[in-house]
Amino acid sequence: MIDIHVKAGQAHKQRDDAVVVPLLDGRKMTESGKSLQQVTDKALPAFLRKFDVSGKFGESKTLYDVQGSLSARIMLVGSGDEKLLTLHKLRMLAAKVARELDAGGARDAAICLPELQVRGATLADKVQAVAEGIWLGLYRFDKYQTKKTENTRRLRSVTLMIGSRRDLEIAQAAVDGAKAVATGTNFARDLANEPGNVCTPEYLGDQAAALSHEKLSVTVMDKQAIEQAGFTALLAVNQGSDKEPRFIVLEYNGGDAGDAPVALVGKGLTFDAGGISIKPAAQMDEMKFDMCGSAAVLGIFRAVVELNLPINLLGVIPSTENLLGGAAYKPGDIITSYKGITIEVLNTDAEGRIILSDALAYAAEKKPAEIIDLATLTGACVIALGAQATGLVATDEKLITALKRSGEHTHDRVWELPMFEEYHEQIKSEIADIKNTGGREAGTITAACFLSRFVDDIPWAHLDIAGTAWDMKGSDIASKGATGSGVRLVVDYLVNRSR
Ligand code: BES
Ligand code: MN
Ligand code: ZN
């Protein structure tokens, strides 16, 4: 990731490849623009008239070699109506700016976006949002394009301009926070974007092990250890694959020895063909992303280590492929899970909840203060909420309120679905304890009902990221592919919780 610095000073005194200043609706300048206007001796307003820029949100115009300016380019960034600005909009603007600077060949730039007023936001919030936008916006997954020269990164360093020296420390801390979150998010994106032939359960285990740190111990169980431990539900799903499963446990000890940890559980399906209940061919390639829950968990751990949060954290990741080998589990099979609950398999494509059942039961045994799981669990969630929000089904009001708040703050949003008692009827089995599908109706909720059987009475939140984990269209802030959803959300939640 590129360098981001903070500096207290005036835009017109910066000598960079580019200086980036906001332009509000009606061509209204903020402080940095005004200071540039003075040194460029009216050249700037003349340009504005000539190029017919209005300042509407998202617009941008780059002027080269403006007389009097020390920087080679002045980039005017349409910021719209200042009263309507949000942290999310600021983050998106910063992402767009960073991409344009890089594409235009600027090597360094001074960015004055933090001077914009955002209602309800502190300077630290704004600086963090801008820094996140830059790092997330510049992310690309292009390691397999061996000959593309336009992939070379030009932008190397950015300076965020703030008004007063007294705020330097606060702003620097905000940049550090953004760096941890962006590093975690981009790490999750990298893991998830890797194709299924590279990102196997073994690879996930290796990547997790590589996160080891004095405060973070990582245990990766291979198939033999999984058999010994008795994670039978995971083994059942793994039967159709020639690749070994993995069961990954992460323990971060940043809090007091006696503090109950927060447990994070992530679905690590490195490829989901559906098993014997095979999926249609169209877009099946996207099922390499079925490990985005586990990628988010690993990204969150990476950020938490970097932030050195004073909490204890337990991570649990069950990982396998779901394929159709001769030994594959079949519709009609009954599995006795690690917890002892028996599962009637009606559809081998509802495999996520099966492997998660062992991971949740294992996590619950450790008596954590709460459990949060992240999983690309149901197509029904994509239908219900699309790409705009992660599905939230939970048993604890405090957890729900805090997650919603973090979702709003980070724009890594959640939307709650109910888990009324009646929904549990849909997964009752005639011949086992529960069945692994509850029919088409309320598919996201009945999947959560299934999971709820394995968490005992521990406060629990289930995050269905099926609709948010990847985006094949791409946006300014997330290139095509994995988005890293869940990382910003849960890191913000953990930061607030540790305050
Ligand atoms: N990984 C899928 C869910 C999914 C589908 C995520 C599409 C993102 C996009 C999951 O394993 C699955 O196949 N779920 C089934 C469950 C059904 C058989 C009850 C589904 O949603 O169709
Ligand atoms: Mn499936
Ligand atoms: Zn799946």
Side-chain angles (χ1 to χ4, degrees), residues 274-278 322 329-331 345-351 436:
I276 300 296
S277 316
I278 191 169
N322 186 23
Y329 82 136
K330 306 170 296 297
V345 178
L346 290 184
N347 188 321
T348 62
D349 198 11
E351 83 299 335
N436 80 328

Side-chain angles (χ1 to χ4, degrees), residues 267 269 272-274 279 287 290 322 348-352 377:
K267 173 177 174 182
L269 239 297
D272 180 14
K279 287 183 181 295
M287 282 300 123
D290 210 15
N322 186 23
T348 62
D349 198 11
E351 83 299 335
L377 205 62

Side-chain angles (χ1 to χ4, degrees), residues 268-435:
L269 239 297
T270 60
F271 189 76
D272 180 14
I276 300 296
S277 316
I278 191 169
K279 287 183 181 295
Q283 279 118 52
M284 202 205 269
D285 57 294
E286 292 180 20
M287 282 300 123
K288 72 172 186 177
F289 293 121
D290 210 15
M291 37 59 71
C292 281
S294 64
V297 168
L298 294 178
I300 293 161
F301 268 89
R302 186 148 174 188
V304 165
V305 169
E306 199 159 316
L307 291 168
N308 196 25
L309 287 189
I311 55 168
N312 293 333
L313 207 55
L314 168 70
V316 186
I317 293 171
S319 182
T320 177
E321 297 178 320
N322 186 23
L323 292 181
L324 303 85
Y329 82 136
K330 306 170 296 297
D333 285 2
I334 295 179
I335 305 163
T336 301
S337 70
Y338 171 74
K339 192 177 171 64
I341 294 176
T342 57
I343 302 164
E344 181 187 9
V345 178
L346 290 184
N347 188 321
T348 62
D349 198 11
E351 83 299 335
R353 63 199 74 182
I354 296 179
I355 67 166
L356 286 170
S357 72
D358 281 355
L360 289 168
Y362 174 84
E365 273 179 7
K366 304 278 175 194
K367 302 270 178 255
E370 59 210 44
I371 303 178
I372 301 173
D373 77 75
L374 298 103
T376 48
L377 205 62
T378 63
C381 194
V382 189
I383 302 300
L385 301 175
Q388 302 310 322
T390 287
L392 167 66
V393 188
T395 57
D396 183 77
E397 278 312 317
K398 239 177 86 187
L399 197 48
I400 292 168
T401 307
L403 284 170
K404 284 180 178 171
R405 191 177 147 219
S406 288
E408 287 304 318
H409 186 68
T410 59
H411 206 259
D412 191 356
R413 293 176 295 186
V414 300
W415 198 260
E416 191 190 357
L417 300 173
M419 198 168 58
F420 302 131
E421 226 174 278
E422 289 83 348
Y423 289 116
H424 290 273
E425 298 292 325
Q426 285 176 241
I427 57 163
K428 278 192 179 153
S429 165
E430 299 293 328
I431 57 171
D433 295 332
I434 44 176
K435 53 190 184 185

